[in-house]
Amino acid sequence: MGGLTLDQLIRFGAISPEGGEILKIIGRVRCNVLISGGTGSGKTTLLNCMTNYIDTDERVITCEDAAELQLQQPHVVRLETRPPNIEGSGAITMRDLVKNCLRMRPERIIVGEVRGPEAFDLLQAMNTGHDGSMGTLHANSPREALSRLESMITMGGFALPSKTLREMIVSSIDVIVQAARLRDGSRRITHIAEVLGFEGDVITMQDLMVYEVTGEDSSGRLKGRHRSTGIGRPRFWERARYYGEEERLARALDASELNDAVR
């Protein structure tokens, strides 16, 4: 794990240079991000890479089961869960951490892995001005990540109508980054998807970039490419402008379309 960076992931081919640039901008302009992926797909590594683009003057609080994240910023408070003692008391759950860290005036909250009712508290935090919060969760596609979130909250005993829950998800989460471990063992970022809104009861999303497997070479390694979906103005465009990053974002989107045209 030793402090990988997005530039190294680009070198390994996990993401295209333009995709890497888009991820850097997403991290910098405080989009709320969910990193979704299967076991061993590199979610925590990717989360760590994206936290490198958090400004040094931001106060960040991390909530984890085991301290894996290696944030380089000066204002980081690290919180860890604790199992119950031998008498069965004294447990500190992820929910306790996420709820209590709000009192510590964080600018961003980073949750190592969302796997239970703390999903509700994280969405609440994202909704109440803790922009740029991030977390990882276990799912095999961006669409599945959203339904996992919904089921985690329902399992936590929150009796909320499904529509209310989805409205909460849409107003909280900006981007879902999907990581995958392919059958040849290589790790790729397969989707950078934006959460847009609703069509009826269904949450609408759009992919900014997807990874397509194009075949395999003689040694059985998969070949593929990251393809831009041609969206010229993502939903977080205004946010990028607010942080003075819209030119860089436009360049990254143009470059990825150009590369597709050349191919």
Side-chain angles (χ1 to χ4, degrees):
M1 172 119 172
L4 275 173
T5 64
L6 274 175
D7 292 329
Q8 282 166 298
L9 293 189
I10 292 168
R11 275 208 299 283
F12 299 149
I15 184 74
S16 65
E18 301 80 31
E21 192 69 5
I22 291 168
L23 288 181
K24 289 176 189 178
I25 294 166
I26 286 170
R28 163 95 176 72
V29 306
R30 297 177 71 161
C31 290
N32 288 327
V33 181
L34 264 189
I35 294 171
S36 149
T39 307
S41 60
K43 300 188 291 289
T44 309
T45 303
L46 180 54
L47 179 60
N48 219 30
C49 289
M50 290 195 62
T51 59
N52 287 340
Y53 302 94
I54 295 176
D55 284 349
T56 50
D57 60 352
E58 291 183 47
R59 184 170 155 81
V60 183
I61 297 186
T62 66
C63 304
E64 298 177 86
D65 283 322
E68 291 180 292
L69 296 172
Q70 302 163 337
L71 272 72
Q72 307 304 316
Q73 287 75 10
H75 306 293
V76 177
V77 178
R78 306 175 65 139
L79 305 178
E80 268 187 87
T81 58
R82 191 173 71 190
N85 63 12
I86 219 151
E87 282 90 35
S89 63
I92 296 172
T93 65
M94 186 62 87
R95 239 202 121 182
D96 296 332
L97 295 188
V98 177
K99 275 183 358 200
N100 288 302
C101 84
L102 295 175
R103 299 199 183 98
M104 300 178 179
R105 204 186 51 76
E107 258 137 347
R108 300 195 194 218
I109 299 164
I110 312 283
V111 177
E113 185 173 352
V114 184
R115 56 162 78 90
E118 70 274 4
F120 180 77
D121 304 282
L122 180 63
L123 288 184
Q124 291 279 51
M126 286 174 163
N127 242 327
T128 52
H130 301 88
D131 288 348
S133 294
M134 301 180 189
T136 73
L137 84 127
H138 215 285
N140 296 318
S141 72
R143 171 75 52 203
E144 191 188 311
L146 292 181
S147 42
R148 277 297 305 272
L149 258 190
E150 215 176 309
S151 59
M152 282 176 203
I153 293 172
T154 317
M155 283 184 328
F158 297 97
L160 289 168
S162 164
K163 177 89 169 144
T164 312
L165 245 180
R166 286 178 192 164
E167 278 168 4
M168 201 172 150
I169 289 171
V170 166
S171 56
S172 308
I173 288 159
D174 300 310
V175 177
I176 296 176
V177 183
Q178 182 72 36
R181 189 163 183 266
L182 305 183
R183 60 187 167 85
D184 65 352
S186 62
R187 292 181 174 87
R188 297 285 179 266
I189 292 165
T190 56
H191 298 77
I192 301 175
E194 280 195 293
V195 178
L196 292 183
F198 279 106
E199 233 161 66
D201 275 349
V202 182
I203 296 176
T204 53
M205 302 167 81
Q206 68 179 5
D207 290 327
L208 292 180
M209 190 160 284
V210 291
Y211 180 74
E212 288 176 344
V213 175
T214 53
E216 57 181 83
D217 63 17
S218 52
S219 60
R221 286 191 68 76
L222 292 175
K223 293 192 294 190
R225 65 190 188 104
H226 284 92
R227 181 176 62 76
S228 154
T229 51
I231 287 152
R233 286 186 75 131
R235 190 172 169 214
F236 60 88
W237 184 271
E238 287 306 316
R239 190 183 280 271
R241 170 175 292 162
Y242 178 72
Y243 284 93
E245 296 283 1
E246 88 265 35
E247 278 181 30
R248 197 168 143 218
L249 180 57
R251 276 201 305 275
L253 290 165
D254 288 349
S256 54
E257 277 189 65
L258 264 175
N259 288 351
D260 282 349
V262 169
R263 288 192 189 109

